Amino acid sequence: MAYEPEGQDREQRPGERLARLLRRWWEEAGRVPGGTRPTQQALASRLGIDQTTLSRYLNPRHASTAPPRVVEALHAHLRAPAGELERARELCRAVLEENNRQGTADHGPEPTGGTDTVNAVNGMDGVNGTEDTDGTEGMQDTDGREAPSQSRSQPRFRSRWAVPVLVAAAVVLAFVAGAVVRDQYASHPRTAADDVAAGAVPASGTPLEWPLLRKRTEDQYTRGRALQHLLMAHGYEVKADGFFGDETQDAVMDFQRRNHLPSDGKVGKDTWPALVKPVGPGADEHTVLALQELLHNTGQGGTEVSGEFTAATAEDLRFFQRGHALPPTGRADVDTWLALLVFQRPPADAPAYQRSMSPLPSAPA
């Protein structure tokens, strides 16, 4: 029988419910005929993850959520009821959708002019984002009384806006077609930055913006380490510790000069697209490390940071891409890099494998 939480569990978030389900699988593994409950250390070894990560997956109070491949492996190793696998998969999808909505709300920039202006252009109510479907607000009948909202006025509203919307759509399509033709026959060489001038567009429709990194004394965690790994992939000798100090700034400025970018030592919308590289099987170690650092900290958890682009890395990447309206290719292009850099969770500390490498930040002068 599929596991269905009761009482207060029904009101818990999908991540907590998934963790409770996985923990019950582990606790009841010894009760299955012919089965024995493995220790978490032994189980983590079979799954190819560390014990700390597994403990987080089995702890409803922790934010980490097991990705689908780990859930499926746990189901097989622990001989959990067959009917509960699909339930676990549904919870995985629910967690990803929840993380996507939360990340978009936290990071999605508001368009210039405010939401009221944008909504007004699209025929939307500026307060709650709904269409003024009756089209009668502020109008009066022939007796001077305010006309009541009636459903028969809806077709009038739609016909009034149909032609302007179609005209606007035609203008946009013509503009896009012109831009494609221009880029196709332009004589200048294309760069990665040309492909992401406006940033990727997630499911919410709001373009993403490249995060800005600059010299600071504080640890900048995964984004900082990803930047440093990418610099190393371009031949610079820097330490991947997350601290954006003089060494990292000097490397950034030299990279900018070599690539004809403003040499200000800041990494933003111009420098990131030039730094990132396509990633897939056979990619160089430091580029893969940068990708895995970011992928591990997106909320789906469990990505091994090894520097080797494995089948598990590709599967985790496809899972991330599907959740952010990107083509699920299992390879990282510039749009995938942008989404990975934007949808990062704030870590409480450097990961265990990194702590011995992270020095204390020096006091400001």
Side-chain angles (χ1 to χ4, degrees):
M1 182 179 296
Y3 173 68
E4 189 70 27
E6 299 179 356
Q8 295 182 352
D9 286 354
R10 292 183 183 271
E11 299 179 0
Q12 291 175 340
R13 299 175 68 175
E16 298 178 37
R17 294 162 65 187
L18 177 62
R20 290 184 184 279
L21 177 59
L22 299 183
R23 186 168 189 85
R24 183 168 64 77
W25 286 358
W26 176 66
E27 291 175 346
E28 295 181 356
R31 303 177 192 175
V32 179
T36 57
R37 186 175 76 178
T39 64
Q40 289 191 15
Q41 182 178 3
L43 184 58
S45 178
R46 294 180 197 173
L47 298 174
I49 60 178
D50 59 76
Q51 183 180 351
T52 301
T53 300
L54 177 61
S55 297
R56 292 173 177 173
Y57 292 160
L58 304 181
N59 183 358
R61 299 180 181 179
H62 200 278
S64 292
T65 302
R69 64 179 179 84
V70 174
V71 170
E72 293 170 359
L74 280 170
H75 185 271
H77 284 300
L78 299 176
R79 299 185 182 182
E84 295 186 0
L85 178 57
E86 186 56 35
R87 174 62 176 159
R89 287 171 174 163
E90 291 176 0
L91 289 173
C92 277
R93 290 192 289 269
V95 172
L96 181 62
E97 292 172 0
E98 182 180 65
N99 289 342
N100 189 16
R101 288 193 300 268
Q102 180 181 356
T104 302
D106 292 342
H107 299 287
E110 181 175 316
T112 303
T115 55
D116 289 345
T117 302
V118 176
N119 290 338
V121 172
N122 291 306
M124 306 290 285
D125 187 290
V127 177
N128 55 19
T130 60
E131 280 194 356
D132 180 13
T133 53
D134 58 28
T136 60
E137 181 179 350
M139 298 182 65
Q140 295 180 336
D141 60 17
T142 55
D143 297 329
R145 294 172 299 177
E146 184 174 353
S149 298
Q150 297 180 0
S151 59
R152 64 173 175 268
S153 60
Q154 292 181 9
R156 193 180 312 158
F157 170 81
R158 291 170 183 164
S159 62
R160 183 181 66 182
W161 285 96
V163 174
V165 168
L166 289 174
V167 171
V171 172
V172 171
L173 288 174
F175 177 79
V176 172
V180 171
V181 172
R182 181 201 63 191
D183 289 342
Q184 182 70 27
Y185 294 101
S187 59
H188 63 80
R190 291 182 60 82
T191 65
D194 295 328
D195 298 325
V196 290
V201 180
S204 66
T206 304
L208 303 179
E209 293 185 356
W210 294 93
L212 179 64
L213 295 190
R214 64 180 73 188
K215 180 181 175 182
R216 290 172 50 189
T217 57
E218 299 84 358
D219 191 345
Q220 301 195 42
Y221 297 108
T222 50
R223 290 190 183 100
R225 292 195 298 274
L227 165 63
Q228 290 160 334
H229 280 303
L230 288 170
L231 287 170
M232 286 191 277
H234 284 277
Y236 293 93
E237 295 183 2
V238 295
K239 187 174 183 179
D241 56 9
F243 290 95
F244 197 141
D246 292 336
E247 180 183 68
T248 301
Q249 185 182 52
D250 290 344
V252 168
M253 293 178 70
D254 184 73
F255 176 83
Q256 290 170 329
R257 284 192 294 268
R258 291 173 181 269
N259 288 271
H260 311 290
L261 299 170
S263 182
D264 56 6
K266 301 174 184 178
V267 183
K269 62 183 180 65
D270 296 323
T271 304
W272 278 119
L275 270 172
V276 300
K277 297 181 176 183
V279 184
D284 68 88
E285 178 183 5
H286 287 293
T287 305
V288 175
L289 282 170
L291 173 77
Q292 291 171 332
E293 286 269 15
L294 296 170
L295 194 57
H296 183 77
N297 195 50
T298 56
Q300 60 191 48
T303 301
E304 183 182 6
V305 183
S306 63
E308 180 181 357
F309 193 92
T310 63
T313 301
E315 185 175 348
D316 288 350
L317 188 57
R318 277 191 291 269
F319 184 65
F320 175 84
Q321 289 169 326
R322 280 192 293 268
H324 293 82
L326 296 168
T329 60
R331 297 168 180 261
D333 58 7
V334 71
D335 286 338
T336 299
W337 278 106
L338 171 55
L340 283 168
L341 283 161
V342 168
F343 293 103
Q344 286 294 298
R345 288 192 165 190
D349 197 357
Y353 63 85
Q354 191 76 32
R355 287 173 192 153
S356 61
M357 300 172 58
S358 299
L360 293 174
S362 58

